[in-house]
Amino acid sequence: MDDDVTFAVLGTGGIGRRTLDVARHKDGLTPVAACDRNGVAVDHDGLDVEELLDATEGNIASGPEADGDTPATPTDDYASDGGLASHASETSSEPGSDGGAAAVEGGSVGDGTASDGVKQAGEDAGIVASAQGEPTETPIDDVIAESDAIDAVLLALPNLEHDFIPRVAERFADASYEGVLVDVLKRSRVIGMLDDRADTLESSGITFVCGAGATPGFLTGAAALAAQSFVEVESVEIWWGVGLKSGYEDNRGTVREDIAHLDGYDIERAREMSEAEIEDLIEEHDGRLEFHDMEHADDVLLERAGICDAEDVSVGGVLDVRSDEKPTTTTVRVTGTTFDGERGTNTFELDDATSMEANVNGPALGYLKAAVLRNRAGDYGVYGPAEVMPSF
Amino acid sequence: MDDDVTFAVLGTGGIGRRTLDVARHKDGLTPVAACDRNGVAVDHDGLDVEELLDATEGNIASGPEADGDTPATPTDDYASDGGLASHASETSSEPGSDGGAAAVEGGSVGDGTASDGVKQAGEDAGIVASAQGEPTETPIDDVIAESDAIDAVLLALPNLEHDFIPRVAERFADASYEGVLVDVLKRSRVIGMLDDRADTLESSGITFVCGAGATPGFLTGAAALAAQSFVEVESVEIWWGVGLKSGYEDNRGTVREDIAHLDGYDIERAREMSEAEIEDLIEEHDGRLEFHDMEHADDVLLERAGICDAEDVSVGGVLDVRSDEKPTTTTVRVTGTTFDGERGTNTFELDDATSMEANVNGPALGYLKAAVLRNRAGDYGVYGPAEVMPSF
């Protein structure tokens, strides 16, 4: 059996870059394409990941008008809604995904030549700073054009319009792509949008695993498994800890998004805060922000899998921006009743030593590999992380 | 989408009976056939489970010559190797599976009429004591004959020859069965025997999930999931607790099998022990038997899924025959290294309130449902519990 998997990454922000990095530690995963807003790199024999990561380190294509606080101008191919409003609900555990914002935080001084607003090298140049990168105005179409030879595509796109990922999936289907799509950023409403397109994706021969990061993703899967002792699940509590000292600068955009989840805050208010106001708020909390009842897609994904009602799922956690130690242990607790009438709570706990990055990107690639096996077996459609056991 | 699943149970020992019981608590699972050594019950509109369970309670068909200590005479259709030697490695967590031995322990006085050695009612009569049961000499063939209308078959067969389940699977394939087979009793060597038949099963259109009980099964799946944080897994420790006071009488055969795992004991020695010797041994241990380095198929199944080497997996646990409280908490610990070089241990813990029965039969039906969805999607072949996320 041919177990080798070729894959592409759309987006080279935190998650895209780490996906390429983690894949180096996995057997049989060959990255053959990557793109960002302004560039694309394709090599069907396998990208030189080291060169690509070196060239793009601290250097994420932000586009001509991207900005941390105001919407970037949407382009035909790589539209953006400006970041804040789009996925405030899930990035707390995936701060590195926030490629666009991170790039902006990194500074706006390019040392290369911009043509049509595209920086060709250095900061903000993104993938075109790599020897493997080519500038393009249609990065996603460029990857689709190569997709006959690509088994799977990880959509690691920065903050974009709510229906951006569903629309990207549809474009793959329109091109009769037969393969796997996986995304790691998933707000609840997007899942419905993907379900609306399930027939189209299935007809094309696409196996789509949505919400395949840490939460939703890994921890959703753990909840689904832990539920197996029970015939009735009364609650699922997902509680995460993230220590983000060294990653703080790269993740200011995400921290701002998380603030929208605090009592007395919402997306609008968080969006309007100045950097100084955010620093004051963080200072007030001694660097630790604690979140309760976050709007995470785990709820929809567990309900979709028939495990419990969405309202029985709660997600919260603690983000510490002044320490890389986790401020609390990431835990999933599933409480239910067994067929013989006993009530109990099964627990899944991640070691504090496992970073958020390890817990997002390992599972993302695990779900990707599993989806490829299903796709090769002829199993198409839209799946959530509560329905698929990730491969190793 | 038609989500309803019809299923059959081969064997109505502890696991078979409880599978019927647990299925009553699950949506969309309709039992349509069940058989034991001497009888078969089929109703494509759904068996009357309550009647069947009532009629067969404490009353498991043991066959004309079955005996707790000596081999029963194999029949053409339902061969037995006499129990002790066959699956000493995994039943410690599945004591109720030991249908044949349990029946014998229950006594041999039938109050019905035996024809050709088949008791028609009362103790040892088994399924023919039910109003729905019919006597038969070919129970498995009788179920196969009905299998066009059966989505899935749970092989909950008592202690049988090592290749019995693979041969049963082959018979379903020979009859061009297109559906799901699931088994819950799985010693390591059987998995290879199933893999040897994978092409035959796949060609027929069979999706087989092997080792789909608690361990292997539920806990193997938990280990596979917990491994997702890591790029290198160094150890998987599965540790179970079973409290078996009220179930002891029904599970003496299994306790005997477990004894084979104790230091200084082996299958031969355990087989030759008298009941009195076993009681003395249990007394010596104050009713608690502790096991280490058990030969469980979790190791092969995790290696098969690429997670670690079989030798890095250890299975042990504590069986308390004098309490229904678990003597120790069932726990899976997966230790590995993340892509960013950190070493950690992720943990999955079952609440002590969840019985062994809940943790065998819930997952067994969960794997069965998941396998039906895969089968309907055209995904055939042999899978282990580390490769399939059980449905709820």
Side-chain angles (χ1 to χ4, degrees), chain B residues 189-275:
Chain B
R189 73 194 87 177
V190 181
I191 290 156
M193 292 178 184
L194 283 167
D195 277 336
D196 291 344
R197 290 161 171 88
D199 288 346
T200 305
L201 299 177
E202 198 172 336
S203 301
S204 178
I206 289 171
T207 307
F208 195 125
V209 182
C210 58
T215 165
F218 190 14
L219 303 184
T220 326
L225 197 65
Q228 290 295 317
S229 301
F230 308 117
V231 292
E232 187 76 38
V233 170
E234 68 183 67
S235 73
V236 172
E237 296 164 82
I238 293 174
W239 182 250
W240 53 261
V242 171
L244 199 62
K245 185 182 179 191
S246 55
Y248 181 42
E249 284 306 313
D250 276 352
N251 291 285
R252 282 175 179 266
T254 298
V255 172
R256 181 187 291 266
E257 292 178 29
D258 283 341
I259 286 169
H261 285 93
L262 293 174
D263 277 348
Y265 290 80
D266 59 18
I267 289 172
E268 288 304 312
R269 182 165 174 200
R271 191 206 299 259
E272 286 159 11
M273 291 171 77
S274 69
E275 284 296 316

Side-chain angles (χ1 to χ4, degrees), chain B residues 273-317:
Chain B
M273 291 171 77
S274 69
E275 284 296 316
E277 285 171 328
I278 286 178
E279 288 311 306
D280 288 348
L281 178 71
I282 288 170
E283 181 63 38
E284 253 173 59
H285 287 79
D286 292 326
R288 283 191 185 202
L289 302 179
E290 184 166 328
F291 303 95
H292 295 275
D293 299 318
M294 303 181 81
E295 187 208 333
H296 263 236
D298 306 79
D299 57 356
V300 179
L301 290 163
L302 286 167
E303 179 168 304
R304 191 180 187 281
I307 289 156
C308 58
D309 292 337
E311 66 195 16
D312 299 329
V313 180
S314 68
V315 179

Side-chain angles (χ1 to χ4, degrees), chain A residues 67-113:
Chain A
D67 185 300
D69 295 322
T70 60
T73 302
T75 70
D76 284 351
D77 201 62
Y78 216 92
S80 166
D81 69 356
L84 191 63
S86 62
H87 62 286
S89 61
E90 74 272 9
T91 45
S92 47
S93 56
E94 302 161 348
S97 64
D98 194 3
V104 171
E105 303 297 340
S108 60
V109 182
D111 61 359
T113 307

Side-chain angles (χ1 to χ4, degrees), chain A residues 18 21-22 25-26 218 221-222 224-233 305-307 338-340 342-351 353-355 357-359 362-363 366-367 374 377-379 383 385-392, chain B residues 18 21-22 25-26 218 221-222 224-233 305-307 338-340 342-351 353-355 357-359 362-363 366-367 374 377-379 383 385-392:
Chain A
R18 285 196 308 272
D21 191 5
V22 175
H25 299 272
K26 297 271 193 179
F218 190 15
L225 196 66
Q228 289 295 316
S229 301
F230 308 118
V231 293
E232 187 78 39
V233 170
I307 289 156
T338 63
F339 82 104
D340 43 4
E342 298 289 334
R343 185 170 175 276
T345 300
N346 291 344
T347 311
F348 182 73
E349 226 177 72
L350 300 183
D351 195 302
T354 64
S355 63
E357 290 85 349
N359 294 321
Y367 283 114
R374 293 178 81 137
D379 191 352
Y383 294 97
E387 299 163 280
V388 178
M389 178 68 75
S391 295
F392 188 68
Chain B
R18 285 196 308 272
D21 191 6
V22 175
H25 300 271
K26 297 271 193 180
F218 190 14
L225 197 65
Q228 290 295 317
S229 301
F230 308 117
V231 292
E232 187 76 38
V233 170
I307 289 156
T338 63
F339 82 103
D340 43 5
E342 298 290 334
R343 185 169 175 275
T345 300
N346 292 343
T347 311
F348 183 72
E349 225 178 71
L350 299 182
D351 195 302
T354 64
S355 63
E357 290 86 348
N359 294 322
Y367 283 114
R374 293 179 80 138
D379 191 351
Y383 294 97
E387 298 163 280
V388 178
M389 177 68 76
S391 295
F392 188 68

